[in-house]
Amino acid sequence: MAWSKDKGRGQGPGEEPGKRGYHHGNLRETLIRAALDLIGEKGPAGFTFADAARWAGVSPAAPYRHFRDRDALMADVARQGFERFEAFLKTAWNDGRPDPFTAFNNLGKAYLAFARTEPAYFAAMFEAGIPLETNPELRQAGDRAFAILRTASEALAEKLPKAGRPPASMMALHIWSISHGIASLFGRGDAARRKLPMTPEELLEAAVLIYLQGLGWGGSDGNSSPR
C-alpha cells in the first residue's frame, strides 16, 4: 500500500492537511486503506466520502477520480475482502485433504480467523449493505468464495446416507449460516465480539458435527460409514 503517516510532509496540489497521505499517485489504494481504517473506527456506515478524502489528506473532490461515490468505494473494499476471503478458504480446504471432515473443520477455522484478523473487510463484505445487483465484480468475488464452501459440502454430502440427504447447495447455506453466525457473534476481532466459555472454533466444530450427525454422518475421520 502506498500510504504512510502524515507527519510533516509537504502537501501536493489539490491536497489539504489530513491524518494520512498518499505517495506516487496511488490514491485509489490509499482511499481503500482509508475506508478500512474508518470502518474499524466508526463502522461501515459511520463515515462519509469526504471523511475518506480527509483521512487520505486530499481534497473532497479527489476521490471522484477513482470512485463514483461512497458506495463504489465500499464495493471495491468488499470485493478485495472477498478475494482475500477466498484465498483463506481455498488454503484451508486444501482440496479436501487429508479427509473431508478434517478439511471442513479447517475451513470453519479459516472463516473464524478471517473474521478475527480482518474485521474491517468482514464488515464491508457483510454489513455495508452494498447492492450486489449493481456490482457484478463484487457478486462474482462473493460467488467464488461461496463456491469453495459448496464444493466442501458436496464432498461431505457424498458421505451421507442418500435417504434424506439435502442438496449440496442447501447444505452449504446451512453450514454458511452456522459459521457466519458464530463468526459474527463470537469470533470477531473488534468490540462486537461476545464472550464464550469455550473457543469459537470449538463451538463451530461441535455445531457442524451435530448438524452432520443429524443427517446421518457416522464418524469424524472421513472414512467411517454413515449410520
Side-chain angles (χ1 to χ4, degrees), residues 28 33 40 70 77 84 87 95 106 113 124-125 158 176 186 222:
R28 185 185 189 92
R33 187 71 251 169
R70 182 186 180 282
V77 174
R84 288 170 176 254
D95 291 326
N106 291 336
M125 293 155 57
E158 291 179 358
W176 182 24
F186 307 115

Side-chain angles (χ1 to χ4, degrees), residues 10-44:
Q11 300 297 316
E15 295 184 50
E16 60 189 27
K19 185 177 179 181
R20 293 171 174 83
Y22 71 97
H23 301 289
H24 310 301
N26 199 355
L27 178 57
R28 185 185 189 92
E29 288 302 314
T30 303
L31 289 167
I32 290 172
R33 187 71 251 169
L36 287 168
D37 273 17
L38 289 166
I39 290 169
E41 293 175 6
K42 303 181 178 183

Side-chain angles (χ1 to χ4, degrees), residues 11-200:
Q11 300 297 316
E15 295 184 50
E16 60 189 27
K19 185 177 179 181
R20 293 171 174 83
Y22 71 97
H23 301 289
H24 310 301
N26 199 355
L27 178 57
R28 185 185 189 92
E29 288 302 314
T30 303
L31 289 167
I32 290 172
R33 187 71 251 169
L36 287 168
D37 273 17
L38 289 166
I39 290 169
E41 293 175 6
K42 303 181 178 183
F47 66 95
T48 66
F49 211 24
D51 290 333
R54 189 177 305 111
W55 184 103
V58 298
S59 70
Y64 290 97
R65 302 172 194 167
H66 297 283
F67 299 103
R68 180 186 68 253
D69 53 23
R70 182 186 180 282
D71 279 355
L73 169 60
M74 291 296 290
D76 213 34
V77 174
R79 177 190 58 78
Q80 286 195 8
F82 274 114
E83 289 173 352
R84 288 170 176 254
F85 189 47
E86 178 190 3
F88 262 64
L89 298 182
K90 185 175 182 180
T91 298
W93 173 240
N94 192 27
D95 291 326
R97 294 188 291 265
D99 62 76
F101 186 81
T102 300
F104 205 89
N105 279 335
N106 291 336
L107 197 62
K109 290 176 183 177
Y111 203 116
L112 295 175
F114 185 86
R116 181 180 300 114
T117 61
E118 301 286 3
Y121 274 122
F122 192 83
M125 293 155 57
F126 297 114
E127 299 168 12
I130 303 300
L132 296 180
E133 64 272 11
T134 61
N135 294 275
E137 290 184 356
L138 174 57
R139 175 181 285 278
Q140 290 164 11
D143 287 347
R144 288 193 299 270
F146 180 73
I148 297 172
L149 183 55
R150 181 189 171 96
T151 296
S153 296
E154 289 172 347
L156 282 181
E158 291 179 358
K159 303 290 185 178
L160 298 174
K162 290 184 178 180
R165 179 192 300 174
S169 57
M170 180 183 293
M171 187 172 167
L173 288 170
H174 289 162
I175 296 293
W176 182 24
S177 299
I178 295 169
S179 303
H180 190 79
I182 292 174
S184 297
L185 291 173
F186 307 115
R188 298 281 288 268
D190 57 20
R193 181 175 178 176
R194 271 67 168 179
K195 300 299 182 183
L196 265 182
M198 65 196 75
T199 68

